Amino acid sequence: PVTDIKRKKSKILTKSEIDRFLSSADDKEFLMIKVGLILGIAGACRTDELVNLTVDDIEDVGSSLIVKIPNTKTKIPRIFVVTDVGNMLELFRKYLSLRPPHVKHKRLFLYYKAGKCSSQPVGKNTMGKIPSVVASYLKLPDVACYTGHCLRRSSATLLADAGVDITTIKRHAGWKSTTVAEGYVENSIENKTKIANQVLVGTTTSAITKTVNVSESNIPSNINFENCTNVTFNLNVNK
């Protein structure tokens, strides 16, 4: 008989969990893990893509990193950028500076222990465990469910939560199929909350502009900004 087995999807890491790990984990123990997490999330990278990254694939232009993924599963080369958010570029540069001068190969990720890099490149199994190492450090439940696909799924979900359309997500991650891309997007509570607000409260992400002219003598007391997001105040002061 044919048994229909549904493959369990990897869990995802939320933005707050990613930020918490990057800010609190000790660099002396987790620096390589941090750099793998940053590049994996920023580029929606597969484990193989991270393993095969070379120092020549990354250009440091000062304000950002330009990363090229020349060889992909779908034969679609990709380029993504890591911007100077938090201390992400600092972490990358710190890790790169620890590269031993005698390394003969150009693989970016080298085994790292006690604040030092060896010349041995990181393999697929070690790279695939990055999400579970992060989950274990953060004491998240079901650590084993944070597989190598976690970084790719987390990246797609973060983009979807930010309101990015599926076409852009497909292009960013190199998916050809919309169905496959949608399968990687987690139905997160954050996204469901946004939808609930749109359905039940009537709020949307579209911009609404309201201009109120006031002076010192007629400042209204009944302006209500309840349920407002992305509010911009333009003050013109005439003396």
Side-chain angles (χ1 to χ4, degrees), residues 1-189:
V2 177
T3 303
D4 184 16
I5 302 175
K6 186 175 182 180
R7 182 178 297 177
K8 190 173 182 180
K9 293 180 180 179
S10 171
K11 286 198 168 187
I12 68 164
L13 291 165
T14 66
K15 185 178 185 305
S16 62
E17 289 166 349
I18 294 167
D19 292 343
R20 185 152 56 95
F21 177 79
L22 293 177
S23 62
S24 64
D26 187 357
D27 287 357
K28 191 172 183 179
E29 182 178 358
F30 294 104
L31 184 58
M32 189 280 287
I33 301 295
K34 288 184 176 184
V35 175
L37 177 65
I38 290 168
L39 295 179
I41 294 290
C45 293
R46 300 177 177 89
T47 299
D48 285 344
E49 292 170 351
L50 290 176
V51 168
N52 293 323
L53 266 181
T54 71
V55 291
D56 292 340
D57 292 328
I58 302 179
E59 182 181 2
D60 189 338
V61 295
S63 60
S64 62
L65 304 176
I66 301 175
V67 186
K68 299 177 182 178
I69 308 290
N71 300 311
T72 70
K73 181 179 179 181
T74 56
K75 311 299 182 184
I76 303 176
R78 305 197 313 277
I79 296 177
F80 65 90
V81 174
V82 180
T83 55
D84 195 8
V85 177
N87 63 339
M88 290 185 181
L89 299 190
E90 178 184 341
L91 289 169
F92 172 81
R93 290 164 183 157
K94 181 178 180 179
Y95 179 69
L96 192 63
S97 71
L98 297 174
R99 187 179 185 86
H102 61 274
V103 178
K104 295 181 180 180
H105 60 83
K106 292 190 175 183
R107 291 261 289 274
L108 171 67
F109 285 102
L110 306 175
Y111 275 99
Y112 176 83
K113 186 176 181 180
K116 295 182 180 180
C117 286
S118 71
S119 60
Q120 183 180 359
V122 173
K124 183 175 180 178
N125 289 338
T126 299
M127 192 68 72
K129 291 178 181 177
I130 285 179
S132 63
V133 171
V134 175
S136 179
Y137 174 86
L138 297 174
K139 294 180 169 54
L140 302 178
D142 302 321
V143 169
C145 293
Y146 291 85
T147 69
H149 276 87
C150 170
L151 302 182
R152 198 157 162 81
R153 291 201 71 223
S154 298
S155 181
T157 301
L158 290 171
L159 287 173
D161 283 348
V164 176
D165 62 86
I166 195 66
T167 300
T168 301
I169 294 175
K170 282 171 56 182
R171 187 181 300 116
H172 176 69
W175 285 302
K176 294 180 179 180
S177 166
T178 298
T179 302
V180 172
E182 290 175 342
Y184 271 81
V185 177
E186 179 78 3
N187 286 321
S188 66
I189 295 299

